[in-house]
Amino acid sequence: AGDGDCGHTHARAARAIQEWVRARPPPAAPAQLLSALADLLLEKMGGSSGALYGLFLTAAARPLLNRNDLPTWADAMDAGIEAMQRYGGAAPGDRTMLDSLCAAAQALHALRSPGADLLPVLAAAVQSAEAAAEATRQMEAGAGRASYISSAQLLQPDPGAVAVAAVLRAVLEGLRS
């Protein structure tokens, strides 16, 4: 929305995750890892972003309780998005973080194909999320803080959509290294 709040809350979350990882090894099981991250972000990130990430991660953890193969990761992404939409009230096209998340999820559906290769699929998902974030620049805000601001003042891409794309890029780079 241009007031710096999104950047500050994401920076606070990043610092909290760094401190958490330095203090103890994160859980190895994917469901427990996502649940622990959800709790951490709910506590430390704050704001609507913290609540939405908490909802997303909590819901995404559920499909991963009994399986963690590549198709289940696509299911986890879909479950997280569905929870955000249900409780947050936004939808793709509303100029929110969901624009990037949904674009990435569409690309991640390729994980359901036999013989899917994680890194190329994730790279495609990151590119889709980044393109979707940039596309929010031209969107009318239908939800979130930006919906209270005149469209003439919304000259930048949605900060939440940009942040989601950056988080996904960081995950990709972390897996590559």
Side-chain angles (χ1 to χ4, degrees), residues 79-171:
I81 289 170
E82 193 273 325
M84 285 179 81
Q85 288 181 294
R86 185 171 0 118
Y87 294 109
D94 280 342
R95 195 182 199 277
T96 69
M97 66 172 65
L98 275 171
D99 293 298
S100 289
L101 278 172
C102 290
Q106 283 300 114
L108 289 175
H109 288 170
L111 293 175
R112 295 181 177 127
S113 300
D117 189 359
L118 175 62
L119 291 180
V121 171
L122 185 54
V126 169
Q127 289 177 337
S128 294
E130 290 171 344
E134 181 56 34
T136 64
R137 182 188 302 265
Q138 308 303 322
M139 290 180 184
E140 189 80 25
R145 184 176 291 176
S147 66
Y148 304 114
I149 298 171
S150 164
S151 295
Q153 294 178 329
L154 296 174
L155 305 175
Q156 299 297 318
D158 179 73
V162 171
V164 163
V167 168
L168 291 173
R169 169 129 337 252
V171 169

Side-chain angles (χ1 to χ4, degrees), residues 57-70:
L57 291 167
T58 298
R62 287 188 196 112
L64 295 165
L65 282 170
N66 299 314
R67 297 178 56 191
N68 70 354
D69 57 3
L70 293 181

